[in-house]
Amino acid sequence: MKNPFFFLLVLSAFTKLATAQDFPYGTVTNDEMNMAKYAKDTAAHAVVLQEFGKASIGVVTGENIRLIFDYHVKIKIIDNKGFDNGTVELQAYNYNEDADSYEQIEQITAVTYYKDDNGVTQKIELDNSKIYPVKEGKNLVIYKFTMPGMRAGCVIEYKYREISPYFDNFQTWYFQSGIPKIYSEYEAHIPAYFRYNISKKGSLKLSKSTVTVEPKCLMIATGNSISEQGADCSVLDYAMSDIPALVNEDYMTAPKNFLSAINFELTDYTDPYTGAVVKQARQWNDVDYTLKNYISFGDQLKKKGLFKDRLVPVVAGKTDELSKAKAVYTYIQQLFKWDKAYGKYSEYGVSKALDKHAGNDADINLSLVNALNAAGLNASIVLLSTRDHGTINSLYPAINNFNYLVARVDIGDQSYLLDATDQLLSFGMLPFRCLNDKGRVFSLDKPSFFMDINPPQKEKSTRTLDLTLQDDGSLKGTLINYSSGYDAYKKRTAIKKFNSTDEYVEDFNSKSPKIKVLKSEITNLDSLDNPLIEKYELDINITDKLNGNSLAFNPFFWDRLEINPFKLAERSYPVDLGMPLDERLILTLHLPGTYAVETPPRVVAIGLPDNGGKFITNYEPGENSFTFSHVIQLNKPVYDPGEYPYLKEFYNKIIQSEKAEIVFKKK
C-alpha cells in the first residue's frame, strides 16, 4: 500500500464534509487558569493548550494571488522558566530581492490572562504600536513582540496572518515543538490549479486526517466583474493530540529535522489568467542554470582576474599544488574579516568585499575559489546547510535548502574542503557548524553533484603526566597536552581570547588555586597544520589526607567528565558528534620509598557495537612507580538512535572511572 501522506495532490470525487474551525479568540476557562502543571509532562514549564493553523491560496488585491497563512495559539505558562514562549519572532522573507516581493505579517493580536491578588482573572492586550518590522540583511524582516504582563500561571494567546507571493513556500506545519501540546490542528486549502507533494515527517501518529472538497474556493477577477468560473479546492485537515515535546539534547543538529510535521513541495501550477503550466519541480540542471546566471553567485565565480597579480608573491617558490593551495588559503584567511553573516549568495560582491577586506561567508569563500583558480588550481563551490539550518532534502532540487558556501580544491585524487572565514581553521578543516551530512558541488563548466561532508580530522588529544609524590603529600612534575584536529582548534580559540599566552596561563592559575604553574611553554599556536603542544611544570596540592597514613589523588583534576550528556530514556534522533573523537591520558607517578599504592585505578575495557568505539584503562605497577592510561575512542561522527543506550552506558562507565581516586598508604 502506498504511503497516504506522500502523493501528488489531484482533485477527485471527494465527498464534501464540514471542515475544521478555529477556536474562539479572547476566551479562557477556569481550568486553564487553575492548571498548576501538565499531568502528561510534569516537568514542562509551558504547554500549548490549543493551536490552529489555516493555509490557503487566494486573491488578495486585484489580480494578486497569494499564499495566506493564519495562525492562532493559546499557551499555559506554568512557571517562570516558560517565559521564553512569550517572546515571538515572525520572519518575513524576500527571496527575489525586490522591494515588492516581501512576505507580509499583519493582523497581529495578542492577550495575556492572569489572576490578580483577589484571584480574579484579568487580561492585558498587546499594544500593537510596539510591533514593527526590523530588517536583517537584504532578504529578511523580523516582526518581534513580547507578551505583556507575563507571570507564572498566566495564559497567553496570539494570532496573526502571513501573506506570501511564494507558492513554493507553502507553510510546513510542525505539530511538535520544544514544549508539549494538548491539541494541534492544521487545515490546508489548495485550489486545483496547484499540485503539491505532501509528506508526513516524524514518528508521531495523526489523530485526524481528512480530505474534502470546497467548491469554487478561488474566484478570478476578469475586468470589472468576478468570473462565474472558479477553481475547487482540496481541503486537507490534519490534527494531533497529546503531543510530547521534542527534548533537545547534546549532539543533535537542527530540531526541525526530527519534529513531527506535514510538509508541502510544489511540483507545478497552472496560471489562472493565462492557462500556462509552470513546472516547479525542477531538475538539478535547472538549479545549476539559475545559480550560474545569478549575479550574486555565478557572476562572482568569474573574478579570478582580481587575484592574479596579488598572488604572485604568495605562491612564489611554491613548486607543488598542495603548497600553493595552502599559501593561497592562508592569504585569503588573513585578508578578510568575516561579518558573521551566513548566506549562499555574495553580500557585497567579490570586488567590493576585496576592497572592504570583509564580507559574509559567500564573499570570502567565493574569493577563495577565485584565488585558487587564479593560481592554476582546480577549485569549485560547495553549497551546504549548516547544522542549525536543517538537513538537505536531496530528493527535491531546491536552492533554499542551502544557507552556506565553502570552497573545494582538488589536488591529485584528494579533495579538500576549505572555509576561510576563521583564521584559526587549518587547511582542509571546516567549522563545526558546517559538519552536516552532505553538500552540493558547483562549478561553471560541469554539472553539480552531491558529496558527503566527512571531516578527515578527529577531535584528538593526548595528555601525559609525569609526577612525583612529595613527602608532604603534594605532587610535582610536568603536564604535556598534545592537541590536533578539532581539539587543537578549540584550544587555539580559547588561547587567542587572551592578549598573550602568559595571560591565558595566569587565568588558569587564578581559577585553580591548588594547582600552581611554575613554568609554561606553548608551541605551534600559529602553525595550524601542526599539533598544538602545551607544556607545564606543576606543583599540585590536590591530594586528600584520608588519615595520618593515607593520601588520595584523582588524576582527572583537569577537565573531568562529571555529567553524562545522554540523559533520555530513549532518543528518537541520531547522536551527531560531527567528527570522531580520540582522547588519551597517560599518567606516570613516582612514589617516595615511604609510600605504596593501596587502591590502584580500576582496569576497564568496554566497546561499542560494530566497532563504534572503545573505553580502555590500564594500570602497570613498577618499582616505586606506576603507569596509568585512560583511552576514549568514538570512531563514528554519527550514531543511530538504536545505538543510544550503548552510548549512554559508555559515558556512565567513563564518569565512574574518572570519579575514582588512587589511594597511597605509608609503608
Side-chain angles (χ1 to χ4, degrees):
M1 181 178 178
K2 293 183 179 179
N3 184 342
F5 303 112
F6 186 80
F7 57 90
L8 279 177
L9 179 65
V10 293
L11 277 178
S12 59
F14 298 121
T15 303
K16 185 181 177 183
L17 301 171
T19 59
Q21 293 292 323
D22 189 6
F23 59 94
Y25 177 81
T27 62
V28 65
T29 67
N30 287 331
D31 287 343
E32 291 170 341
M33 293 303 301
N34 293 331
M35 179 188 288
K37 62 182 179 180
Y38 178 46
K40 295 188 176 181
D41 184 354
T42 56
H45 304 293
V47 56
V48 171
L49 302 171
Q50 288 178 283
E51 182 183 45
F52 181 81
K54 178 181 177 182
S56 59
I57 298 174
V59 178
V60 178
T61 55
E63 296 183 358
N64 292 325
I65 299 177
R66 294 289 186 262
L67 283 175
I68 303 167
F69 173 66
D70 293 298
Y71 180 78
H72 182 192
V73 68
K74 187 191 291 185
I75 304 172
K76 174 70 178 186
I77 306 299
I78 295 172
D79 56 41
N80 56 11
K81 291 184 179 179
F83 284 2
D84 56 349
N85 293 281
T87 298
V88 183
E89 290 190 6
L90 307 176
Q91 297 183 341
Y93 291 93
N94 176 2
Y95 296 109
N96 293 338
E97 300 184 13
D98 181 341
D100 296 326
S101 296
Y102 270 104
E103 296 173 325
Q104 299 174 29
I105 306 292
E106 57 183 42
Q107 300 180 27
I108 300 174
T109 57
V111 59
T112 299
Y113 309 93
Y114 68 96
K115 284 193 173 184
D116 62 19
D117 294 340
N118 297 317
V120 178
T121 298
Q122 306 288 350
K123 66 179 181 179
I124 306 175
E125 303 278 354
L126 176 68
D127 182 357
N128 282 13
S129 66
K130 296 181 179 179
I131 307 171
Y132 51 88
V134 176
K135 191 171 183 180
E136 294 197 2
K138 295 189 296 185
N139 303 96
L140 177 64
V141 166
I142 295 179
Y143 296 77
K144 183 176 180 179
F145 61 89
T146 300
M147 297 298 297
M150 291 281 290
R151 63 201 70 189
C154 70
V155 172
I156 62 174
E157 182 179 18
Y158 62 88
K159 61 190 304 186
Y160 64 88
R161 167 168 286 188
E162 176 185 304
I163 299 175
S164 172
Y166 306 114
F167 301 123
D168 59 345
N169 197 30
F170 200 96
Q171 192 77 32
T172 295
W173 184 259
Y174 292 99
F175 291 101
Q176 204 172 13
S177 71
I179 61 174
K181 298 180 181 181
I182 295 176
Y183 187 75
S184 176
E185 185 167 3
Y186 186 46
E187 187 179 279
H189 296 241
I190 304 178
Y193 294 115
F194 298 86
R195 288 161 42 103
Y196 289 88
N197 277 324
I198 303 171
S199 58
K200 176 183 173 293
K201 297 169 57 181
S203 59
L204 301 180
K205 294 182 179 180
L206 294 166
S207 59
K208 181 180 182 181
S209 175
T210 63
V211 184
T212 60
V213 172
E214 180 185 4
K216 302 294 186 280
C217 68
L218 179 61
M219 306 297 291
I220 305 300
T222 57
N224 295 322
S225 63
I226 300 296
S227 170
E228 292 293 330
Q229 299 299 318
D232 293 345
C233 273
S234 291
V235 181
L236 299 97
D237 191 7
Y238 305 106
M240 280 189 186
S241 302
D242 302 326
I243 308 162
L246 181 75
V247 180
N248 288 1
E249 198 178 44
D250 290 345
Y251 306 116
M252 69 181 294
T253 53
K256 70 179 181 180
N257 292 335
F258 316 110
L259 296 170
S260 289
I262 293 290
N263 188 58
F264 297 78
E265 297 275 354
L266 181 64
T267 63
D268 59 77
Y269 66 93
T270 301
D271 188 313
Y273 297 101
T274 67
V277 176
V278 180
K279 290 191 175 295
Q280 193 70 21
R282 299 176 294 178
Q283 302 300 314
W284 278 111
N285 59 348
D286 299 317
V287 176
D288 291 356
Y289 180 83
T290 299
L291 288 172
K292 290 171 185 177
N293 290 279
Y294 188 48
I295 190 171
S296 295
F297 188 90
D299 281 5
Q300 303 308 314
L301 282 171
K302 304 172 184 177
K303 306 292 184 181
K304 67 180 184 179
L306 295 171
F307 295 91
K308 283 189 176 180
D309 292 340
R310 291 172 176 264
L311 293 177
V312 172
V314 174
V315 298
K318 307 294 188 297
T319 56
D320 63 277
E321 288 191 333
L322 184 57
S323 60
K324 283 183 181 179
K326 287 184 175 181
V328 172
Y329 173 66
T330 301
Y331 170 72
I332 296 296
Q333 270 185 308
Q334 303 298 324
L335 185 64
F336 285 95
K337 182 177 177 58
W338 182 38
D339 64 9
K340 305 298 183 183
Y342 292 11
K344 56 184 171 286
Y345 300 130
S346 174
E347 185 174 6
Y348 301 115
V350 170
S351 180
K352 187 174 180 181
L354 194 56
D355 291 338
K356 293 169 65 71
H357 297 287
N360 69 352
D361 63 285
D363 289 316
I364 295 171
N365 289 323
L366 281 164
S367 297
L368 176 58
V369 171
N370 279 296
L372 290 166
N373 285 326
L377 300 165
N378 180 20
S380 51
I381 285 298
V382 179
L383 285 174
L384 50 80
S385 173
T386 55
R387 291 172 71 90
D388 61 354
H389 185 254
T391 302
I392 294 169
N393 185 346
S394 58
L395 295 176
Y396 302 105
I399 296 174
N400 291 334
N401 278 335
F402 308 102
N403 73 322
Y404 202 89
L405 182 156
V406 299
R408 165 175 155 151
V409 61
D410 298 325
I411 299 174
D413 59 356
Q414 182 72 40
S415 296
Y416 300 89
L417 296 181
L418 308 172
D419 185 345
T421 62
D422 191 330
Q423 296 181 359
L424 297 179
L425 287 169
S426 62
F427 184 87
M429 176 182 284
L430 291 182
F432 182 71
R433 60 182 173 270
C434 294
L435 304 182
N436 190 26
D437 192 30
K438 59 175 64 94
R440 190 82 181 178
V441 183
F442 284 87
S443 61
L444 290 177
D445 56 352
K446 296 176 184 177
S448 66
F449 59 92
F450 276 116
M451 69 170 291
D452 292 332
I453 307 294
N454 290 325
Q457 303 90 349
K458 298 180 180 180
E459 183 176 346
K460 187 173 182 179
S461 65
T462 300
R463 181 177 302 165
T464 64
L465 284 158
D466 193 314
L467 303 175
T468 299
L469 180 64
Q470 308 298 306
D471 288 330
D472 63 0
S474 66
L475 292 160
K476 289 186 179 180
T478 59
L479 164 65
I480 305 177
N481 283 332
Y482 299 89
S483 300
S484 59
Y486 284 92
D487 190 70
Y489 170 75
K490 289 180 179 179
K491 286 285 183 65
R492 288 185 172 105
T493 301
I495 294 170
K496 287 290 186 178
K497 290 179 180 179
F498 296 88
N499 294 321
S500 66
T501 55
D502 289 341
E503 283 191 12
Y504 170 72
V505 174
E506 288 172 9
D507 180 72
F508 172 77
N509 260 334
S510 66
K511 293 177 179 177
S512 307
K514 291 188 177 182
I515 304 173
K516 186 175 182 180
V517 178
L518 304 175
K519 187 178 179 181
S520 65
E521 181 184 3
I522 299 177
T523 56
N524 294 335
L525 181 59
D526 296 313
S527 300
L528 304 184
D529 292 333
N530 296 318
L532 177 71
I533 302 173
E534 304 168 82
K535 184 175 181 179
Y536 304 97
E537 290 187 14
L538 302 177
D539 187 344
I540 306 171
N541 185 26
I542 54 174
T543 52
D544 294 323
K545 292 185 178 181
L546 302 179
N547 53 51
N549 295 318
S550 299
L551 297 172
F553 168 63
N554 187 310
F556 298 97
F557 58 87
W558 200 317
D559 295 336
R560 182 192 309 176
L561 182 64
E562 297 182 285
I563 299 174
N564 194 328
F566 308 117
K567 305 177 183 66
L568 302 177
E570 60 182 22
R571 177 161 156 165
S572 61
Y573 49 90
V575 174
D576 193 326
L577 305 175
M579 77 289 291
L581 178 136
D582 190 313
E583 185 178 293
R584 300 166 186 259
L585 169 73
I586 302 170
L587 166 67
T588 300
L589 202 147
H590 307 276
L591 301 171
T594 54
Y595 277 93
V597 177
E598 181 180 46
T599 306
R602 185 180 172 192
V603 174
V604 180
I606 62 172
L608 292 171
D610 300 324
N611 196 32
K614 61 185 178 181
F615 170 49
I616 297 174
T617 66
N618 190 41
Y619 172 74
E620 295 182 3
E623 186 177 352
N624 295 326
S625 69
F626 68 85
T627 299
F628 169 65
S629 61
H630 178 280
V631 178
I632 302 170
Q633 288 183 340
L634 292 170
N635 297 330
K636 302 195 299 186
V638 181
Y639 292 83
D640 294 332
E643 298 174 285
Y644 181 79
Y646 301 102
L647 271 175
K648 184 177 178 180
E649 182 58 22
F650 185 82
Y651 271 82
N652 281 336
K653 295 293 186 184
I654 295 171
I655 291 170
Q656 291 172 14
S657 176
E658 295 189 0
K659 188 185 298 183
E661 294 182 319
I662 304 170
V663 178
F664 313 115
K665 186 177 182 180
K666 277 191 175 182
K667 294 179 180 178

